[in-house]
């Protein structure tokens, strides 16, 4: 079955450590996205990528980094520079049709907790 | 700055009630408005609206878009406990991403 897989589901990090969240899709989607979700704040865009080896900052990119070496994969690294990383992280993907998005397919999310 | 505002932020109703969730937006190059339901993990797609005044229905859920007044509503009739979730509104611009509202938390009590 086609889909988008995030791992791990739960992640605990000590302050000062970098951690990497995995996102893999087998939908042959061009574009991939990382969102952060905090209670009462909806989804905020961290980074997105429309093509391999290219990505753009979203609204809250500080303290995060990404790579897009393969079409299927878009890992997110939460660095020690991110001041408040405890949150629920969602990865999404879609195809772009002449720049029009028909909606996302979401992964199941990773809940990151700093201890 | 592009903005999507949902109201109310949270809502508690009893089974059988009808609820209306609101979404207003200010974006450039509007292409479509989407509604998602999020229970615990991944948001699941409900509706995509592109034209004003055309109601979309799926069972007890329906939604309509007003492009002149820049808002959409999501109606749920005869609510059930399984409708308890966060409902997210998002707007797609011509380009490359969705802009999300903060969501409405709906709790249906039995």
């Amino acid at each position: 079955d086609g889909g988008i897989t995030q791992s791990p589901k739960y992640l605990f990090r000590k302050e000062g450590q970098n951690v990497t969240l995995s996102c893999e899709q087998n939908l042959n989607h061009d574009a991939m996205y990382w969102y952060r979700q905090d209670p009462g704040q909806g989804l905020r865009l961290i980074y997105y990528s429309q093509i391999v080896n290219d990505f753009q900052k979203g609204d809250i990119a500080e303290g995060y980094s990404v790579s897009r070496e393969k079409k299927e994969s878009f890992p997110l690294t939460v660095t020690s520079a991110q001041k408040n990383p405890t949150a629920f992280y969602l990865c999404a993907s879609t195809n772009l049709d002449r720049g029009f998005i028909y909606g996302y397919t979401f992964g199941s999310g990773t809940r990151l907790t700093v201890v | 700055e592009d903005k999507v505002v949902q109201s109310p932020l949270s809502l508690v109703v009893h089974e059988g009630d009808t609820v209306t969730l609101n979404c207003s937006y200010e974006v450039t190059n509007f292409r479509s408005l989407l509604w998602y339901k999020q229970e615990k993990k991944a948001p699941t797609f409900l509706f995509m609206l592109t034209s004003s005044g055309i109601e979309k229905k799926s069972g007890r859920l329906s939604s309509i878009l007003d492009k002149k007044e820049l808002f959409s509503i999501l109606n749920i009739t005869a609510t059930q406990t399984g409708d308890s979730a966060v409902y997210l509104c998002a707007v797609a611009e011509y380009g490359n991403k969705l802009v999300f509202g903060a969501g409405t938390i709906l709790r249906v009590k039995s």
Side-chain angles (χ1 to χ4, degrees):
Chain A
D1 284 332
I4 182 165
T5 302
Q6 288 187 242
S7 62
K9 288 186 179 179
Y10 300 94
L11 187 57
F12 296 89
R13 187 194 96 172
K14 291 184 179 178
E15 285 193 26
Q17 284 182 337
N18 292 355
V19 290
T20 297
L21 283 59
S22 170
C23 178
E24 304 274 335
Q25 53 97 0
N26 60 3
L27 301 164
N28 200 32
H29 281 172
D30 303 307
M32 297 185 75
Y33 307 82
W34 275 105
Y35 283 88
R36 170 182 171 138
Q37 189 174 30
D38 296 281
Q41 294 196 50
L43 274 63
R44 292 184 291 166
L45 182 64
I46 304 172
Y47 269 98
Y48 63 100
S49 169
Q50 292 181 273
I51 194 169
V52 174
N53 292 323
D54 188 48
F55 47 82
Q56 279 74 44
K57 292 182 179 180
D59 302 316
I60 54 163
E62 185 176 349
Y64 300 97
S65 66
V66 293
S67 62
R68 187 91 185 272
E69 296 176 3
K70 299 185 299 181
K71 188 175 185 178
E72 305 80 28
S73 178
F74 192 42
L76 174 74
T77 296
V78 185
T79 74
S80 56
Q82 169 49 236
K83 300 297 180 203
N84 184 21
T86 294
F88 186 56
Y89 291 87
L90 279 165
C91 180
S93 68
T94 190
N95 265 331
L96 301 176
D97 178 9
R98 296 180 294 262
F100 183 55
I101 297 176
Y102 288 90
Y104 292 162
T105 300
F106 283 94
S108 295
T110 293
R111 189 166 297 280
L112 173 64
T113 304
V114 174
V115 296
Chain B
E1 183 183 326
D2 297 334
K3 194 164 56 173
V4 177
V5 178
Q6 292 186 246
S7 63
L9 289 181
S10 66
L11 191 56
V12 181
V13 300
H14 289 96
E15 272 193 314
D17 288 349
T18 294
V19 298
T20 298
L21 309 183
N22 303 298
C23 176
S24 65
Y25 62 90
E26 294 175 29
V27 300
T28 52
N29 298 319
F30 172 91
R31 292 302 301 271
S32 66
L33 186 143
L34 299 96
W35 285 97
Y36 288 87
K37 177 182 181 183
Q38 184 180 27
E39 292 180 81
K40 292 225 167 163
K41 296 179 181 175
T44 54
F45 173 79
L46 294 175
F47 297 110
M48 183 171 76
L49 304 154
T50 54
S51 302
S52 269
I54 299 174
E55 185 183 50
K56 294 224 172 173
K57 290 197 75 166
S58 177
R60 296 176 293 102
L61 277 66
S62 63
S63 184
I64 197 161
L65 173 67
D66 186 328
K67 289 168 75 173
K68 183 180 175 188
E69 300 298 330
L70 307 183
F71 78 87
S72 173
I73 59 172
L74 174 69
N75 277 324
I76 308 174
T77 59
T79 52
Q80 303 170 357
T81 54
D83 295 326
S84 296
V86 177
Y87 289 84
L88 297 168
C89 174
V91 172
E93 303 175 82
Y94 184 89
N96 40 40
K97 57 185 166 77
L98 299 183
V99 180
F100 283 85
T104 292
I105 302 170
L106 174 64
R107 183 178 159 214
V108 181
K109 296 167 75 171
S110 56

